[in-house]
Amino acid sequence: MEASSSSPSSSSVTVATGDRFRLHDRLELLEFADKYVVKSFESPNRGFSISREDGDIQPLDGADVDPPVRPYRTSTIYGVAGTIRLVAGTYILVITSQKEVGEFLGFPVFRVMSMQFLPCNEALKFSTSEEKRDEAYFMNLLRIVESTPGLYYSYDTDITLNLQRRCKLSDGWMAKPIWKQADPRFVWNRNLLEDLIEAKLDEFVIPLLQGSFGVAELKLKDTPVTLTLISRRCTRRLGTRMWRRGANLQGDTANSIETEQLLETEGFRSSFLQFRGSVPLLWEQIVDLSYKPRLRIIDNEQTPKVVERHFLDLSQRYGDVVAVDLTDKHGDEGLLSAAYANEMKTLPSVRYCSFDFHHFCSNSNFDKLQILYDQVSEDFEKQGYFLVDDADGEILEEQKGIIRSNCIDCLDRTNVTQSFLAQKSLTIQLRRVGVLGPDESFTNFSKEYGKFRTLWAEQGDEISLGYAGTHALKGDLVRYGKQTLGGMIKDGMSALSRYYLNNFQDGVRQDALDLISGRYSVSRQSPSPFRLNGFESLSYLPVASALLIGGLTVTSFTLQQAGRNAQQYLSTVLWAGVTAGVMAAVKANGRQFCSRPRLCGLL
């Protein structure tokens, strides 16, 4: 889905409001035996039908607008997020509930609260048993997709473009259909929109952004200030924490996110951008039941080109890049950090800055981030921020570069660091527009600074849910500037949840993401997903668990009886040996007992 792929269709003219395009915001879903009909409440003659037999999409005709047969079910939906074709038919994804969460540059933004796939798969009854089995697996993946966290959209404007890019667009840009305004990198459902776009249903095409969105209303010295934080996840290397690490051969990195902090105050709007993404080398960390699996750097002759492609893309989009590496300098992380530093020596145009977060900020010493700031402050202040005069649209400042931060997951340490840099930039911006004096700092306003911290902590949680499946760790450092007992308990629970999800759930989750992003395409000619991965890992896990639990139980029981006679003692030794053997076998073959993706490889 590229912004220049086609011209605006004639069907979209009626929903252009002045020089601005707008989507239909409330839709009526009519379910008939042979088709679904989607109509706009505000314009009942606007809509389309989709066949339940083959998924064919057609604009509304007279019979659809005033059907001779009553539908067997009528409901309200809030958007159509796209369609996907599986083995036996098409499925249409609809937004069944949403919640308004704030405004982006004056336009309402909504969060998707629930979604549902509607089947158009009447052909399933004629499918073979293997095709039905495959369809059932893919349908299970769609159910996982329905619960995708952190999806946002607007009926009135595109939210994938940052303020600086928007202000440089040509006149009339906002009159284009919203999907044409959007940055394809950040459209979560771009692969699902193709059928709607092909049918020229621009007024129904909703680009969804995955990431986070939050707004805080501040008051500084009687001046109202609106602070908006929006994070945009790139879809080029979409995936879960352990199954998408590092970069692919094109230079796209896992967990790549552009974060924009917007400041709106009397007469001015400003924006500060940061970027995060996995270490841009070829590396993996395959789950094997251990708490911290070994990290392996993949030896590939294309690695220098991968790093070059990654930073070339960033510099073309944002300007000068400072790469801040927050990984440890010992163990597996140290080896990865050293390899990263070595590759960066070949890129003199990019400044590489290594900062061992755990070493400097141990014991919750959050203030030590000032050491990092001192190292990058000259480049940081030179890169600046974007500032525009609201009255006449005059651009007063431009951001000329970006800080790219990473740790191993690009979650916890990265979020703490980005929030620290964000408050530094916010103070500079508030001084520039006259809200603060030249010697005043935003952090001195404790109540408003608390709102800022909460905004960043909630953003960190939402980004972490999308990648790791849990809330972020170290959230207290962002929220309070120190670690609390409650925060430590929450971090412990999140760490255990990550362990479980990484080992026993994320393989299937990764398949769902590969399917929805188009990295894997389904067709009747495609091999069955059950042939792509011959080892049924989950079927062996219950057996191993039963043997372990049974062995430990019997060993404990016989141990209590062991003092009575030699036979009981020998029985205890035997069962203890069996249990130890099973534990050793599980540990030695840990990868085989973990949930693994079936559909696509790591790169």
Side-chain angles (χ1 to χ4, degrees):
M1 189 186 92
E2 296 294 337
S4 60
S5 58
S6 64
S7 59
S9 66
S10 58
S11 65
S12 65
V13 174
T14 57
V15 287
T17 306
D19 59 350
R20 176 171 57 83
F21 191 94
R22 191 177 191 280
L23 299 171
H24 297 295
D25 56 1
R26 285 181 71 242
L27 306 175
E28 185 178 28
L29 174 65
L30 309 175
E31 300 184 42
F32 297 91
D34 61 336
K35 63 186 175 183
Y36 299 103
V37 173
V38 176
K39 297 194 297 183
S40 168
F41 272 108
E42 57 193 18
S43 304
N45 63 328
R46 310 296 298 171
F48 62 95
S49 66
I50 179 167
S51 167
R52 299 184 72 156
E53 182 176 351
D54 58 9
D56 181 52
I57 296 176
Q58 294 294 332
L60 288 187
D61 57 26
D64 293 325
V65 174
D66 188 17
V69 179
R70 294 187 63 184
Y72 68 81
R73 185 182 295 117
T74 301
S75 57
T76 299
I77 60 174
Y78 299 91
V80 179
T83 63
I84 188 169
R85 297 182 186 275
L86 300 183
V87 177
T90 297
Y91 295 77
I92 180 170
L93 180 60
V94 298
I95 299 171
T96 52
S97 65
Q98 39 87 315
K99 178 182 178 182
E100 186 172 346
V101 291
E103 292 187 349
F104 177 71
L105 303 175
F107 300 107
V109 173
F110 298 84
R111 178 177 181 173
V112 175
M113 302 304 291
S114 63
M115 301 186 292
Q116 182 182 359
F117 276 100
L118 304 176
C120 306
N121 61 349
E122 292 298 314
L124 184 60
K125 65 181 72 171
F126 305 110
S127 301
T128 66
S129 58
E130 182 178 69
E131 288 174 339
K132 290 179 179 178
R133 184 190 185 201
D134 292 349
E135 190 83 351
Y137 180 72
F138 291 128
M139 289 172 66
N140 180 56
L141 300 185
L142 296 187
R143 283 190 285 272
I144 294 172
V145 171
E146 288 176 346
S147 59
T148 300
L151 295 178
Y152 296 90
Y153 68 95
S154 174
Y155 298 108
D156 298 275
T157 191
D158 164 57
I159 61 173
T160 66
L161 293 181
N162 59 63
L163 179 62
Q164 182 159 318
R165 288 189 64 189
R166 288 171 67 96
C167 288
K168 294 188 174 183
L169 295 174
S170 59
D171 293 339
W173 179 264
M174 291 186 68
K176 292 176 178 285
I178 288 179
W179 71 266
K180 291 185 179 181
Q181 301 176 33
D183 185 334
R185 293 180 301 158
F186 302 131
V187 179
W188 174 83
N189 58 329
R190 64 175 179 168
N191 182 61
L192 307 181
L193 297 176
E194 293 177 358
D195 286 348
L196 295 176
I197 292 172
E198 187 175 338
K200 301 186 183 305
L201 296 168
D202 291 344
E203 66 264 49
F204 296 95
V205 179
I206 298 181
L208 297 179
L209 167 77
Q210 189 187 29
S212 72
F213 183 89
V215 179
E217 298 294 341
L218 313 179
K219 197 162 188 179
L220 297 168
K221 300 166 63 176
D222 295 326
T223 301
V225 172
T226 300
L227 196 63
T228 304
L229 191 62
I230 179 169
S231 288
R232 306 173 174 102
R233 186 185 302 280
C234 180
T235 61
R236 289 178 177 175
R237 189 158 167 73
L238 204 60
T240 58
R241 177 174 174 248
M242 287 299 189
W243 292 110
R244 283 296 174 268
R245 294 295 216 186
N248 59 19
L249 294 176
Q250 289 72 45
D252 306 314
T253 56
N255 205 24
S256 288
I257 295 173
E258 174 192 275
T259 296
E260 180 177 22
Q261 181 175 275
L262 279 167
L263 170 67
E264 297 175 81
T265 187
E266 297 175 349
F268 298 97
R269 285 178 177 173
S270 64
S271 162
F272 173 63
L273 294 172
Q274 296 187 75
F275 193 88
R276 73 177 74 190
S278 189
V279 175
L281 306 180
L282 305 178
W283 60 283
E284 63 183 15
Q285 195 174 14
I286 306 300
V287 290
D288 59 3
L289 297 183
S290 62
Y291 179 73
K292 195 171 185 179
R294 292 301 305 271
L295 185 154
R296 185 178 77 91
I297 301 172
I298 299 172
D299 186 15
N300 190 300
E301 62 181 9
Q302 292 195 53
T303 294
K305 284 292 183 184
V306 168
V307 178
E308 182 182 351
R309 289 177 190 128
H310 176 75
F311 282 102
L312 178 62
D313 180 67
L314 287 182
S315 62
Q316 288 176 339
R317 295 180 185 278
Y318 301 107
D320 295 336
V321 180
V322 175
V324 173
D325 180 16
L326 303 169
T327 54
D328 297 345
K329 297 302 171 276
H330 59 272
D332 284 355
E333 282 195 27
L335 295 176
L336 182 64
S337 179
Y340 185 19
N342 188 57
E343 291 295 340
M344 293 304 292
K345 292 176 182 176
T346 64
L347 294 177
S349 61
V350 179
R351 184 185 171 192
Y352 171 80
C353 180
S354 178
F355 181 81
D356 188 335
F357 184 97
H358 284 149
H359 172 72
F360 286 102
C361 300
S362 60
N363 301 319
S364 304
N365 203 341
F366 185 58
D367 292 337
K368 287 293 183 71
L369 281 170
Q370 183 65 40
I371 297 173
L372 170 63
Y373 182 75
D374 291 340
Q375 293 180 35
V376 302
S377 60
E378 184 177 345
D379 290 296
F380 180 81
E381 293 170 12
K382 180 181 176 183
Q383 289 178 356
Y385 52 89
F386 180 77
L387 177 65
V388 62
D389 188 322
D390 245 1
D392 56 13
E394 181 185 359
I395 295 174
L396 305 175
E397 303 279 355
E398 291 190 42
Q399 186 167 342
K400 303 178 182 66
I402 200 163
I403 303 287
R404 181 209 189 274
S405 303
N406 73 267
C407 48
I408 284 295
D409 299 327
C410 301
L411 295 175
D412 315 315
R413 287 171 278 181
T414 298
N415 207 58
V416 173
T417 302
Q418 287 197 339
S419 67
F420 184 84
L421 296 175
Q423 61 95 353
K424 291 286 189 182
S425 179
L426 185 57
T427 293
I428 295 172
Q429 294 170 56
L430 289 169
R431 289 173 179 171
R432 172 68 173 79
V433 298
V435 174
L436 297 183
D439 298 321
E440 290 181 304
S441 173
F442 172 65
T443 58
N444 294 335
F445 298 82
S446 57
K447 182 180 177 181
E448 310 311 308
Y449 187 34
K451 294 179 182 179
F452 167 89
R453 283 174 154 174
T454 299
L455 196 64
W456 271 90
E458 291 174 349
Q459 180 248 194
D461 282 340
E462 198 155 18
I463 287 176
S464 182
L465 282 169
Y467 187 53
T470 71
H471 288 124
L473 308 183
K474 300 181 177 68
D476 277 5
L477 288 179
V478 178
R479 200 180 298 266
Y480 308 116
K482 62 182 180 179
Q483 193 87 53
T484 65
L485 177 60
M488 292 172 66
I489 294 172
K490 181 181 176 182
D491 283 356
M493 296 299 294
S494 292
L496 289 174
S497 296
R498 282 186 185 182
Y499 173 82
Y500 174 78
L501 292 171
N502 294 163
N503 284 279
F504 306 121
Q505 295 287 323
D506 280 356
V508 179
R509 263 184 76 216
Q510 185 62 55
D511 277 349
L513 293 171
D514 287 335
L515 178 66
I516 209 72
S517 65
R519 192 161 185 263
Y520 179 86
S521 298
V522 180
S523 71
R524 289 185 177 271
Q525 289 72 42
S526 303
S528 166
F530 297 97
R531 294 180 185 176
L532 296 174
N533 182 356
F535 192 91
E536 295 285 348
S537 58
L538 292 182
S539 64
Y540 289 85
L541 184 62
V543 176
S545 301
L547 286 172
L548 281 173
I549 295 172
L552 289 171
T553 301
V554 174
T555 300
S556 299
F557 177 77
T558 56
L559 187 61
Q560 296 174 2
Q561 310 294 324
R564 298 185 180 182
N565 54 59
Q567 184 177 0
Q568 290 287 353
Y569 179 77
L570 290 174
S571 178
T572 300
V573 173
L574 175 63
W575 279 105
V578 169
T579 304
V582 172
M583 291 178 69
V586 170
K587 183 177 180 180
N589 299 278
R591 290 190 179 188
Q592 306 305 322
F593 292 97
C594 295
S595 173
R596 303 171 66 85
R598 296 178 182 275
L599 303 183
C600 298
L602 294 177
L603 297 180

